[in-house]
Amino acid sequence: MNTADVDIDRLVDYRSEYTQYIKKAKITGDQLIGLCPFHDDKNNSLSVNLKTGQWHCFAEDRGGNFTQFYAEINGLDTKEAYKQILEKYGVVQEEKKEEPKQNKSYTLAQYAFEKRLPEEWLKESCRLSTVKGRDGDTYMKIPYFDENGQEATFRKRFANKDFRWKYGSSGKIGLYGEWRLPQIRKAGYAAMVEGESDSQSMWYMGISTLGVPGASMFKPHQAGMLQDLKVYIHQEPDKGGETFLRKIIEGLREGGFIGKVYRWSCNQIGCKDPSAVYLKFGKEEAQKKIMRLIESAEEIDLDAPEEIPEAIQGAPVNLRQPEGWIYSDKGISHIDEKKYTPTLICRTPIILTQRLKSLETGEEKMEIAFKRDGTWHRAIFPRSTIFTARGITVLADLGCTITSENAKMVVRFLSALEAENIDIIQRADATSTFGWQPGKRFIPGREQGIVLDIDPSQKGMATAYCQVGEESKWIETMRPHRERDKFRFILAASFAAPLLRILKQRIFFVYNWGGSKGGKTAALKAALSAWGDPERLMVNFNATQVGLERTASFYCDLPLGIDERQLAGRNQEGLEKTVYMIASGTGKIRGSKGGGLQATHQWRTVALATGEEPMSTETTQTGVSTRVLEIYGGPFDNEKDAGRMHQEAGMNCGWTGPAFVNRLIGLDERQIMEKYEEMLKYVNQIADGKSGSHVAGISAVALADAMIDSWFFTQADEENVDKIAENELDVKNSLDILESSWERAKQMAAAILQEQMNADVGDVNENALQFIVDWVLQNRLYFGEKAIGTCLGKFSESGNTVYIFPSALNQALTKAGYSPRKTLKYMADRDLIASSERKDHKGKTYQVTKRFDNRLCKFIQFSIGKLSEKEDAVDIDDEAEQEAPVQKDGDGFMPVQESFDLPFQ
């Protein structure tokens, strides 16, 4: 049978063949899986298609057909494996006439003839020889000796300029001619050429020369061999010549070379290289011409910055062309090594502009730039995206002409581009948040080389921090309204946000509430306008907790403006959860798709919020009340002023906030802390132990107010304000707060503190306790064995103790919005209810057992009389009223009072 007609898929029983080699084989339909025989496989990583015989190992990501499998499993080449498979199934191969093998043999004699160099001289001076290989072909051996004359490695030269290094040469390849260094040092100079043949021609002409095996193979450590020599680098007239010159210069710089360096080229006399000059002019004439070129060589200043030709007009950075590649306005092209012709692989020119190191995670990303429709665009991606064929296709969504077909070649280009320009592509710090950064840097205003690495969806938020109009006009707009304490406090609170880190102060809310038309939103816009466009910086309560969390972390160390509390609806619990979340300064811990945890968001901020209803109620947890400074009433005297602020806030914005931070950076933080402690002491004195949780926040805002009043509204003239904003003013290392500004800030702090004391809703536990007293007294007719309808418990004979059914009390507290467990513990701590250790020793129980209605029942024993003695809640008249006879109806039952609203009905 003619083997050309063999259908191996029909011939071979793949099921039988594969199962004899694959352990733990499982077959489902036409698919087989099992342990791969080519490595120590512990999982079923090998898959076989039993129809086609194709196999694939997913652990090693390789595969092939059955012939390749059979060859590898039996240690054969594929030709022999195919032959054995056919013989096994009774097919005899027809012998084919072998095509004549291309002769690759090469000898020293041939080389000597081509280069016109004496064969004996090459043997003696260069130690070249002809060697016969194992396959019978001969090659010319080119040995590389070190300075001591020991052979380090050698190179094989076959026909058609086919070069191969000795196996294991990596790390051993040095300069060609190192063994001649003693003679070279006597001459005092070294001409550097590319390749062995140019070196040999130069030696034969008596010129002191060292050769570099390839254009990119000069290493920095080799610069030490050339110290105290004049170095003359030959540059050939092509891209390879440019690479050769550049690589040697880079190596000399990095290797710390001290000496004179020159550039010369045989192109000046119409030849490509020294070997061509020798062949054209002969030994003596060529020697004279080359020496004249060396004597007139152009000196290179190693200390001067490298001049890189502009590859594309207007590119963000000029980069060297990597060897074997060209990028231009036409796109990216790969140069064929044999034909030396460029082949276009991507129509879009793409370059690397920066390496970005994340300040938060330490991960490195790459900033790329690409030219599309005549305009340069930039984008930032992880290295795993840019340098993998699968990942880089995302650039297609931005307009780059990248497909799954050319992605691999584009990745190879970018890898070569980075390697070639690693000293040019600058490293920059990157962050994904605003606010304080390492090295006393701050975004916005004091970035100093930090790149904002954000998701494209956040660009609108980032651009909201912009500068519009003039700072002096912003100051004039705000100045008259600062006479009112409420407006002044809200404005100063926006400047307190960057102070939190310095003061070690926790996050707090400034919540302005009241009726419409008081200018609450206008004051919020005024406060945010110090940092940027207030319309775009402001968010509202109609947002998810995840959205607010990410906004807060993005706007770290800056004020967070949240408008319209009523958009949260009646969900008081959800609102309080939002307050806790923002005030905590830390986001939720979340798992990542690939396992492990996502980076946790963190922030510092002063949240400025508005609404028409109070934030805190009687059932609000105390933790919320302590974190919120509530300001009732409009910050403006009339609706006209508020309307004007809506228009003017965004006309001159984004100046004073960055200028404020610039002044802070020039100060000793200890001075700021000392002034804060002074203000804190004052506010504590006037608080007189009340509203203590709000003292720290009010003190921080008052300090910020004194600073901005001194720096911008009183003592700073227009010229200095502009210079501060542009980071040009040499700020004195002094806090420099005017006495008048300090006293006015204290006056404002006193007014705001008084408002907090007047509006204090009290501790939630006290409120819950008062609720229970009211509830018991309102529903006392439902206590006792003769209670009508639902019985809630019973009173003691004295009336000073009430026994409440636990389920009834839990239901009443829960419906009113209080925590039963928290309230009972508080009452037990105050010895108002009876408590005892549980029998299992796992905490306390707040229930007692009493006989009621001829059975044993569980009760909460509440000493209401003890509370009345302390707080005078139940006076003697009330007790007399309890002892008064109760009138009954005609049937002898006590009437139900309609005014009692039972919480569980």
Side-chain angles (χ1 to χ4, degrees):
M1 182 185 291
N2 189 335
T3 54
D5 300 327
V6 173
D7 184 351
I8 197 169
D9 290 341
R10 292 186 179 182
L11 183 68
V12 178
D13 182 356
Y14 290 133
R15 182 189 185 107
S16 174
E17 291 286 353
Y18 275 109
T19 52
Q20 66 177 304
Y21 298 113
I22 299 174
K23 295 179 181 179
K24 295 186 179 182
K26 295 180 182 179
I27 298 175
T28 305
D30 294 325
Q31 200 72 20
L32 178 150
I33 60 171
L35 300 179
C36 180
F38 301 127
H39 63 91
D40 184 15
D41 197 3
K42 295 181 181 178
N43 299 306
N44 291 339
S45 64
L46 188 79
S47 174
V48 180
N49 186 321
L50 297 178
K51 274 191 174 182
T52 64
Q54 294 288 326
W55 61 276
H56 187 87
C57 175
F58 292 95
E60 296 181 313
D61 194 23
R62 66 189 187 95
N65 56 28
F66 177 67
T67 302
Q68 293 166 310
F69 181 89
Y70 187 90
E72 187 166 351
I73 208 77
N74 292 287
L76 307 171
D77 59 30
T78 53
K79 185 177 180 182
E80 180 62 26
Y82 184 70
K83 179 182 178 182
Q84 289 188 17
I85 293 170
L86 293 184
E87 289 177 353
K88 185 175 182 179
Y89 286 89
V91 179
V92 180
Q93 281 186 293
E94 294 181 355
E95 293 186 4
K96 293 183 179 179
K97 293 182 180 179
E98 292 188 3
E99 296 180 1
K101 186 177 68 170
Q102 186 177 8
N103 185 17
K104 62 177 184 179
S105 292
Y106 193 71
T107 64
L108 174 57
Q110 288 177 273
Y111 179 76
F113 176 77
E114 291 172 4
K115 299 300 178 182
R116 303 295 190 269
L117 294 171
E119 185 175 348
E120 289 301 317
W121 180 84
L122 291 171
K123 285 181 182 180
E124 294 175 6
S125 298
C126 306
R127 303 186 195 179
L128 304 185
S129 60
T130 301
V131 179
K132 189 174 184 179
R134 294 180 182 178
D135 56 1
D137 292 324
T138 60
Y139 60 84
M140 186 179 73
K141 178 182 176 182
I142 310 171
Y144 274 63
F145 299 97
D146 60 23
E147 192 171 349
N148 298 322
Q150 299 296 317
E151 184 178 297
T153 186
F154 63 85
R155 202 175 190 186
K156 304 175 185 178
R157 175 166 179 162
F158 294 90
N160 302 313
K161 296 185 178 180
D162 181 8
F163 290 91
R164 301 176 195 176
W165 287 100
K166 172 193 174 183
Y167 182 77
S169 293
S170 179
K172 300 177 183 178
I173 303 172
L175 296 176
Y176 186 59
E178 284 185 23
W179 71 91
R180 302 174 68 94
L181 276 170
Q183 301 167 247
I184 292 173
R185 291 194 177 101
K186 287 181 181 180
Y189 74 95
M192 305 297 294
V193 298
E194 181 184 352
E196 297 94 358
S197 63
D198 283 343
S199 301
Q200 293 154 5
S201 297
M202 294 279 278
W203 294 337
Y204 187 63
M205 290 185 284
I207 302 173
S208 179
T209 304
L210 283 171
V212 182
S216 303
M217 295 183 72
F218 186 83
K219 306 300 179 187
H221 73 269
Q222 294 169 341
M225 302 177 185
L226 307 177
Q227 293 291 11
D228 301 323
L229 294 175
K230 290 183 178 179
V231 177
Y232 295 87
I233 306 170
H234 177 258
Q235 182 181 359
E236 296 183 11
D238 54 21
K239 288 288 182 183
E242 293 178 7
T243 302
F244 181 73
L245 176 67
R246 184 176 69 252
K247 285 294 183 181
I248 293 182
I249 292 174
E250 289 174 8
L252 293 173
R253 283 174 177 157
E254 191 174 338
F257 177 77
I258 301 173
K260 299 283 188 179
V261 182
Y262 303 86
R263 183 189 71 86
W264 63 285
S265 177
C266 293
N267 189 45
Q268 292 178 265
I269 54 176
C271 296
K272 179 178 180 293
D273 52 38
S275 182
V277 176
Y278 170 75
L279 291 173
K280 183 176 181 180
F281 296 103
K283 181 179 179 181
E284 293 182 2
E285 188 63 26
Q287 192 266 353
K288 292 178 183 178
K289 290 183 178 292
I290 288 176
M291 288 306 297
R292 281 198 291 266
L293 290 174
I294 289 176
E295 289 169 2
S296 61
E298 174 190 354
E299 185 172 357
I300 297 172
D301 183 2
L302 290 180
D303 296 327
E306 180 183 0
E307 292 185 11
I308 301 173
E310 187 178 54
I312 306 176
Q313 186 175 5
V317 60
N318 287 336
L319 300 176
R320 308 182 192 104
Q321 299 279 7
E323 189 174 4
W325 300 89
I326 296 175
Y327 73 90
S328 64
D329 266 315
K330 296 180 180 179
I332 303 168
S333 298
H334 181 244
I335 301 172
D336 188 284
E337 295 179 358
K338 294 181 179 179
K339 299 179 182 178
Y340 206 78
T341 55
T343 302
L344 186 69
I345 63 165
C346 179
R347 183 62 188 81
T348 309
I350 306 171
I351 61 174
L352 306 173
T353 53
Q354 286 190 102
R355 293 187 297 122
L356 306 178
K357 192 82 168 180
S358 171
L359 293 170
E360 293 91 3
T361 65
E363 295 179 353
E364 185 169 286
K365 294 186 177 182
M366 296 298 298
E367 183 187 62
I368 65 154
F370 61 93
K371 194 173 185 180
R372 183 73 167 170
D373 299 325
T375 304
W376 282 98
H377 307 271
R378 295 185 187 230
I380 298 171
F381 293 97
R383 291 184 65 90
S384 58
T385 298
I386 296 299
F387 294 113
T388 60
R390 180 179 296 180
I392 201 170
T393 53
V394 301
L395 270 66
D397 296 333
L398 301 179
C400 297
T401 53
I402 295 181
T403 67
S404 58
E405 297 297 323
N406 68 354
K408 188 174 182 179
M409 292 297 286
V410 174
V411 168
R412 285 178 58 190
F413 162 72
L414 292 175
S415 300
L417 188 67
E418 183 187 29
E420 188 66 32
N421 296 277
I422 196 69
D423 58 322
I424 296 177
I425 300 173
Q426 294 184 350
R427 177 193 174 280
D429 292 329
T431 184
S432 58
T433 65
F434 282 82
W436 289 107
Q437 310 294 337
K440 281 197 169 184
R441 294 176 289 181
F442 191 93
I443 301 176
R446 290 280 292 201
E447 293 86 351
Q448 292 184 324
I450 297 180
V451 176
L452 195 60
D453 173 22
I454 57 175
D455 188 86
S457 63
Q458 295 176 300
K459 286 187 177 179
M461 299 167 65
T463 56
Y465 285 100
C466 57
Q467 293 181 328
V468 178
E470 301 175 22
E471 183 172 16
S472 58
K473 292 183 179 179
W474 181 89
I475 292 173
E476 292 307 312
T477 299
M478 302 300 158
R479 191 190 303 275
H481 303 294
R482 292 180 69 248
E483 296 303 317
R484 297 184 295 275
D485 288 328
K486 292 175 184 176
F487 180 92
R488 189 185 191 101
F489 189 83
I490 294 170
L491 183 67
S494 73
F495 291 89
L499 284 173
L500 297 187
R501 180 193 65 82
I502 301 172
L503 304 179
K504 308 296 187 291
Q505 167 70 12
R506 73 177 185 177
I507 296 167
F508 59 91
F509 273 70
V510 174
Y511 179 62
N512 183 204
W513 69 282
S516 300
K517 301 181 181 180
K520 300 183 298 297
T521 302
L524 177 59
K525 286 184 178 180
L528 296 177
S529 69
W531 299 94
D533 182 354
E535 292 284 355
R536 290 187 288 160
L537 289 178
M538 196 162 44
V539 297
N540 59 52
F541 280 98
N542 186 23
T544 64
Q545 286 200 7
V546 174
L548 286 174
E549 174 189 318
R550 292 183 176 173
T551 302
S553 65
F554 187 51
Y555 290 161
C556 185
D557 295 308
L558 295 165
L560 177 64
I562 314 175
D563 197 23
E564 305 295 353
R565 173 254 180 272
Q566 53 271 22
L567 289 176
R570 296 292 177 184
N571 185 9
Q572 181 68 18
E573 183 180 351
L575 181 66
E576 292 180 12
K577 189 176 180 182
T578 298
V579 172
Y580 271 119
M581 183 272 294
I582 293 176
S584 71
T586 304
K588 185 182 291 186
I589 298 175
R590 299 179 177 88
S592 62
K593 291 181 180 179
L597 300 175
Q598 297 181 24
T600 304
H601 297 291
Q602 293 184 320
W603 59 87
R604 289 176 296 266
T605 188
V606 172
L608 307 177
T610 67
E612 296 184 5
E613 302 172 7
M615 185 80 76
S616 303
T617 64
E618 290 188 350
T619 61
T620 295
Q621 297 299 312
T622 307
V624 172
S625 301
T626 61
R627 289 164 171 80
V628 180
L629 294 168
E630 294 199 22
I631 301 174
Y632 174 75
F636 290 87
D637 290 336
N638 57 72
E639 189 177 347
K640 183 178 178 181
D641 286 345
R644 189 181 301 114
M645 182 59 71
H646 276 288
Q647 297 176 345
E648 296 177 351
M651 295 173 61
N652 300 280
C653 62
W655 297 95
T656 317
F660 176 76
V661 171
N662 191 51
R663 287 290 294 258
L664 286 180
I665 290 173
L667 297 175
D668 184 345
E669 293 184 359
R670 288 176 297 180
Q671 292 181 333
I672 301 175
M673 281 297 300
E674 288 171 1
K675 293 301 288 184
Y676 172 69
E677 292 293 339
E678 183 181 340
M679 181 63 74
L680 186 65
K681 182 179 180 180
Y682 166 76
V683 179
N684 261 318
Q685 287 176 346
I686 61 174
D688 194 23
K690 299 179 181 179
S691 197
S693 59
H694 296 141
V695 167
I698 293 173
S699 301
V701 176
L703 174 62
D705 179 73
M707 289 177 170
I708 63 173
D709 189 73
S710 294
W711 296 345
F712 305 115
F713 291 98
T714 303
Q715 73 174 181
D717 58 36
E718 183 176 339
E719 181 182 356
N720 280 356
V721 164
D722 291 339
K723 287 184 177 179
I724 292 170
E726 296 169 7
N727 299 335
E728 292 179 357
L729 186 64
D730 183 16
V731 181
K732 296 179 181 178
N733 189 24
S734 172
L735 190 52
D736 194 21
I737 295 178
L738 298 177
E739 185 64 28
S740 59
S741 300
W742 186 253
E743 292 302 318
R744 183 64 183 87
K746 289 165 68 175
Q747 179 185 334
M748 176 198 71
I752 299 299
L753 180 64
Q754 186 60 45
E755 183 161 339
Q756 304 309 302
M757 294 164 65
N758 295 339
D760 194 355
V761 296
D763 181 78
V764 66
N765 292 314
E766 291 289 344
N767 295 337
L769 179 58
Q770 185 60 49
F771 167 80
I772 296 174
V773 172
D774 295 345
W775 177 76
V776 168
L777 296 178
Q778 287 173 354
N779 294 285
R780 71 175 117 183
L781 293 181
Y782 294 92
F783 287 85
E785 295 183 1
K786 297 181 180 181
I788 303 300
T790 302
C791 182
L792 303 178
K794 69 173 185 175
F795 276 95
S796 66
E797 291 183 4
S798 66
N800 290 328
T801 303
V802 60
Y803 297 92
I804 310 170
F805 286 121
S807 59
L809 183 59
N810 287 349
Q811 192 175 20
L813 286 170
T814 301
K815 186 172 182 181
Y818 297 105
S819 168
R821 184 178 177 184
K822 183 177 180 180
T823 303
L824 291 177
K825 187 177 186 309
Y826 173 76
M827 295 173 72
D829 291 342
R830 292 191 58 183
D831 200 26
L832 295 174
I833 62 173
S835 63
S836 60
E837 289 289 334
R838 293 175 52 171
K839 292 181 179 180
D840 57 5
H841 302 290
K842 295 182 178 179
K844 288 187 176 183
T845 178
Y846 304 120
Q847 299 179 8
V848 298
T849 304
K850 292 288 181 182
R851 183 167 291 280
F852 180 75
D853 196 18
N854 296 322
R855 73 188 70 181
L856 292 176
C857 300
K858 298 285 186 180
F859 291 99
I860 304 293
Q861 181 180 319
F862 177 27
S863 301
I864 193 170
K866 184 183 294 186
L867 185 68
S868 65
E869 291 174 5
K870 294 179 179 179
E871 302 182 5
D872 199 25
V874 181
D875 56 24
I876 297 174
D877 293 336
D878 293 331
E879 293 179 5
E881 185 179 341
Q882 289 181 28
E883 294 174 359
V886 179
Q887 295 183 352
K888 300 182 180 180
D889 60 14
D891 296 327
F893 293 101
M894 291 181 295
V896 177
Q897 297 185 21
E898 297 296 333
S899 61
F900 292 158
D901 182 15
L902 297 182
F904 41 79
Q905 286 183 338

